[in-house]
mmCIF file of all heavy atoms in Angstrom:
data_model
loop_
_atom_site.group_PDB
_atom_site.id
_atom_site.type_symbol
_atom_site.label_atom_id
_atom_site.label_comp_id
_atom_site.label_asym_id
_atom_site.label_seq_id
_atom_site.Cartn_x
_atom_site.Cartn_y
_atom_site.Cartn_z
ATOM 1 N N ARG A 141 1.798 -129.549 -36.155
ATOM 2 C CA ARG A 141 2.088 -129.696 -37.584
ATOM 3 C C ARG A 141 1.000 -128.970 -38.389
ATOM 4 O O ARG A 141 -0.190 -129.106 -38.142
ATOM 5 C CB ARG A 141 2.092 -131.179 -37.971
ATOM 6 C CG ARG A 141 2.491 -131.431 -39.406
ATOM 7 C CD ARG A 141 2.458 -132.894 -39.736
ATOM 8 N NE ARG A 141 2.774 -133.103 -41.144
ATOM 9 C CZ ARG A 141 2.553 -134.260 -41.788
ATOM 10 N NH1 ARG A 141 2.004 -135.264 -41.135
ATOM 11 N NH2 ARG A 141 2.874 -134.371 -43.046
ATOM 12 N N GLY A 142 1.427 -128.167 -39.371
ATOM 13 C CA GLY A 142 0.502 -127.412 -40.203
ATOM 14 C C GLY A 142 0.119 -126.060 -39.622
ATOM 15 O O GLY A 142 -0.744 -125.367 -40.193
ATOM 16 N N TYR A 143 0.755 -125.644 -38.525
ATOM 17 C CA TYR A 143 0.390 -124.396 -37.865
ATOM 18 C C TYR A 143 0.548 -123.191 -38.785
ATOM 19 O O TYR A 143 -0.265 -122.263 -38.755
ATOM 20 C CB TYR A 143 1.238 -124.216 -36.606
ATOM 21 C CG TYR A 143 0.769 -123.111 -35.685
ATOM 22 C CD1 TYR A 143 -0.317 -123.292 -34.841
ATOM 23 C CD2 TYR A 143 1.415 -121.880 -35.655
ATOM 24 C CE1 TYR A 143 -0.745 -122.284 -33.984
ATOM 25 C CE2 TYR A 143 1.008 -120.871 -34.803
ATOM 26 C CZ TYR A 143 -0.076 -121.081 -33.971
ATOM 27 O OH TYR A 143 -0.489 -120.066 -33.141
ATOM 28 N N ALA A 144 1.565 -123.200 -39.620
ATOM 29 C CA ALA A 144 1.832 -122.065 -40.499
ATOM 30 C C ALA A 144 0.724 -121.850 -41.514
ATOM 31 O O ALA A 144 0.491 -120.732 -41.984
ATOM 32 C CB ALA A 144 3.169 -122.255 -41.225
ATOM 33 N N GLU A 145 0.011 -122.914 -41.856
ATOM 34 C CA GLU A 145 -1.020 -122.822 -42.879
ATOM 35 C C GLU A 145 -2.350 -122.314 -42.325
ATOM 36 O O GLU A 145 -3.206 -121.889 -43.105
ATOM 37 C CB GLU A 145 -1.228 -124.193 -43.528
ATOM 38 C CG GLU A 145 0.030 -124.742 -44.217
ATOM 39 C CD GLU A 145 -0.167 -126.160 -44.689
ATOM 40 O OE1 GLU A 145 -1.323 -126.553 -44.915
ATOM 41 O OE2 GLU A 145 0.828 -126.891 -44.825
ATOM 42 N N ASP A 146 -2.523 -122.390 -41.018
ATOM 43 C CA ASP A 146 -3.805 -121.971 -40.434
ATOM 44 C C ASP A 146 -3.581 -121.308 -39.071
ATOM 45 O O ASP A 146 -4.271 -121.599 -38.101
ATOM 46 C CB ASP A 146 -4.734 -123.192 -40.289
ATOM 47 C CG ASP A 146 -6.159 -122.780 -39.921
ATOM 48 O OD1 ASP A 146 -6.590 -121.687 -40.320
ATOM 49 O OD2 ASP A 146 -6.827 -123.570 -39.224
ATOM 50 N N ALA A 147 -2.624 -120.429 -39.018
ATOM 51 C CA ALA A 147 -2.282 -119.783 -37.744
ATOM 52 C C ALA A 147 -3.308 -118.711 -37.397
ATOM 53 O O ALA A 147 -3.841 -118.024 -38.276
ATOM 54 C CB ALA A 147 -0.898 -119.165 -37.820
ATOM 55 N N PRO A 148 -3.601 -118.525 -36.112
ATOM 56 C CA PRO A 148 -4.494 -117.432 -35.701
ATOM 57 C C PRO A 148 -3.801 -116.095 -35.872
ATOM 58 O O PRO A 148 -2.564 -116.025 -35.987
ATOM 59 C CB PRO A 148 -4.771 -117.749 -34.221
ATOM 60 C CG PRO A 148 -3.532 -118.454 -33.765
ATOM 61 C CD PRO A 148 -3.087 -119.284 -34.951
ATOM 62 N N GLY A 149 -4.570 -115.026 -35.871
ATOM 63 C CA GLY A 149 -3.978 -113.707 -35.960
ATOM 64 C C GLY A 149 -3.221 -113.323 -34.710
ATOM 65 O O GLY A 149 -2.319 -112.499 -34.757
ATOM 66 N N ALA A 150 -3.589 -113.935 -33.585
ATOM 67 C CA ALA A 150 -2.958 -113.616 -32.294
ATOM 68 C C ALA A 150 -3.300 -114.712 -31.300
ATOM 69 O O ALA A 150 -4.255 -115.464 -31.478
ATOM 70 C CB ALA A 150 -3.439 -112.262 -31.770
ATOM 71 N N LEU A 151 -2.505 -114.790 -30.249
ATOM 72 C CA LEU A 151 -2.874 -115.636 -29.126
ATOM 73 C C LEU A 151 -4.041 -114.985 -28.400
ATOM 74 O O LEU A 151 -4.045 -113.768 -28.177
ATOM 75 C CB LEU A 151 -1.677 -115.799 -28.172
ATOM 76 C CG LEU A 151 -0.423 -116.443 -28.765
ATOM 77 C CD1 LEU A 151 0.707 -116.408 -27.757
ATOM 78 C CD2 LEU A 151 -0.700 -117.865 -29.204
ATOM 79 N N THR A 152 -5.033 -115.769 -28.037
ATOM 80 C CA THR A 152 -6.227 -115.218 -27.416
ATOM 81 C C THR A 152 -6.477 -115.685 -25.996
ATOM 82 O O THR A 152 -7.291 -115.111 -25.280
ATOM 83 C CB THR A 152 -7.468 -115.570 -28.262
ATOM 84 O OG1 THR A 152 -7.562 -116.998 -28.384
ATOM 85 C CG2 THR A 152 -7.377 -114.938 -29.643
ATOM 86 N N ARG A 153 -5.764 -116.747 -25.573
ATOM 87 C CA ARG A 153 -5.983 -117.265 -24.209
ATOM 88 C C ARG A 153 -4.815 -118.167 -23.827
ATOM 89 O O ARG A 153 -4.261 -118.890 -24.646
ATOM 90 C CB ARG A 153 -7.287 -118.062 -24.155
ATOM 91 C CG ARG A 153 -7.611 -118.638 -22.774
ATOM 92 C CD ARG A 153 -8.967 -119.307 -22.726
ATOM 93 N NE ARG A 153 -9.056 -120.461 -23.632
ATOM 94 C CZ ARG A 153 -10.139 -121.221 -23.761
ATOM 95 N NH1 ARG A 153 -11.240 -120.928 -23.078
ATOM 96 N NH2 ARG A 153 -10.126 -122.239 -24.581
ATOM 97 N N LEU A 154 -4.432 -118.106 -22.540
ATOM 98 C CA LEU A 154 -3.442 -119.008 -22.011
ATOM 99 C C LEU A 154 -4.144 -120.033 -21.117
ATOM 100 O O LEU A 154 -4.970 -119.680 -20.280
ATOM 101 C CB LEU A 154 -2.388 -118.252 -21.169
ATOM 102 C CG LEU A 154 -1.600 -117.148 -21.873
ATOM 103 C CD1 LEU A 154 -0.550 -116.594 -20.918
ATOM 104 C CD2 LEU A 154 -0.972 -117.647 -23.137
ATOM 105 N N THR A 155 -3.835 -121.291 -21.354
ATOM 106 C CA THR A 155 -4.449 -122.389 -20.562
ATOM 107 C C THR A 155 -3.344 -123.159 -19.847
ATOM 108 O O THR A 155 -2.456 -123.707 -20.497
ATOM 109 C CB THR A 155 -5.246 -123.334 -21.484
ATOM 110 O OG1 THR A 155 -6.354 -122.634 -22.061
ATOM 111 C CG2 THR A 155 -5.775 -124.523 -20.690
ATOM 112 N N VAL A 156 -3.413 -123.197 -18.538
ATOM 113 C CA VAL A 156 -2.430 -123.945 -17.749
ATOM 114 C C VAL A 156 -3.000 -125.310 -17.420
ATOM 115 O O VAL A 156 -4.099 -125.422 -16.875
ATOM 116 C CB VAL A 156 -2.089 -123.205 -16.446
ATOM 117 C CG1 VAL A 156 -1.116 -124.046 -15.602
ATOM 118 C CG2 VAL A 156 -1.485 -121.848 -16.745
ATOM 119 N N ALA A 157 -2.252 -126.369 -17.761
ATOM 120 C CA ALA A 157 -2.611 -127.713 -17.326
ATOM 121 C C ALA A 157 -2.148 -127.842 -15.880
ATOM 122 O O ALA A 157 -0.945 -128.006 -15.611
ATOM 123 C CB ALA A 157 -1.924 -128.743 -18.218
ATOM 124 N N TYR A 158 -3.099 -127.731 -14.965
ATOM 125 C CA TYR A 158 -2.766 -127.558 -13.547
ATOM 126 C C TYR A 158 -2.860 -128.857 -12.761
ATOM 127 O O TYR A 158 -3.796 -129.644 -12.908
ATOM 128 C CB TYR A 158 -3.695 -126.539 -12.895
ATOM 129 C CG TYR A 158 -3.399 -126.313 -11.431
ATOM 130 C CD1 TYR A 158 -2.287 -125.574 -11.044
ATOM 131 C CD2 TYR A 158 -4.197 -126.883 -10.440
ATOM 132 C CE1 TYR A 158 -1.980 -125.377 -9.702
ATOM 133 C CE2 TYR A 158 -3.902 -126.688 -9.092
ATOM 134 C CZ TYR A 158 -2.784 -125.935 -8.741
ATOM 135 O OH TYR A 158 -2.488 -125.762 -7.404
ATOM 136 N N ARG A 159 -1.835 -129.041 -11.921
ATOM 137 C CA ARG A 159 -1.833 -130.132 -10.941
ATOM 138 C C ARG A 159 -1.290 -129.558 -9.665
ATOM 139 O O ARG A 159 -0.239 -128.909 -9.656
ATOM 140 C CB ARG A 159 -0.948 -131.279 -11.448
ATOM 141 C CG ARG A 159 -0.938 -132.496 -10.540
ATOM 142 C CD ARG A 159 -0.098 -133.590 -11.169
ATOM 143 N NE ARG A 159 -0.099 -134.793 -10.351
ATOM 144 C CZ ARG A 159 0.567 -135.889 -10.672
ATOM 145 N NH1 ARG A 159 1.279 -135.928 -11.791
ATOM 146 N NH2 ARG A 159 0.530 -136.943 -9.886
ATOM 147 N N ARG A 160 -2.006 -129.762 -8.573
ATOM 148 C CA ARG A 160 -1.607 -129.142 -7.306
ATOM 149 C C ARG A 160 -0.184 -129.532 -6.918
ATOM 150 O O ARG A 160 0.205 -130.689 -7.007
ATOM 151 C CB ARG A 160 -2.571 -129.536 -6.189
ATOM 152 C CG ARG A 160 -2.293 -128.819 -4.873
ATOM 153 C CD ARG A 160 -3.298 -129.207 -3.811
ATOM 154 N NE ARG A 160 -3.201 -130.623 -3.469
ATOM 155 C CZ ARG A 160 -3.959 -131.232 -2.561
ATOM 156 N NH1 ARG A 160 -4.898 -130.556 -1.958
ATOM 157 N NH2 ARG A 160 -3.818 -132.513 -2.326
#
Side-chain angles (χ1 to χ4, degrees):
R141 185 181 177 194
Y143 191 79
E145 300 172 25
D146 190 31
L151 299 174
T152 57
R153 181 175 62 179
L154 302 185
T155 295
V156 177
Y158 180 75
R159 184 177 182 180
R160 186 178 63 180

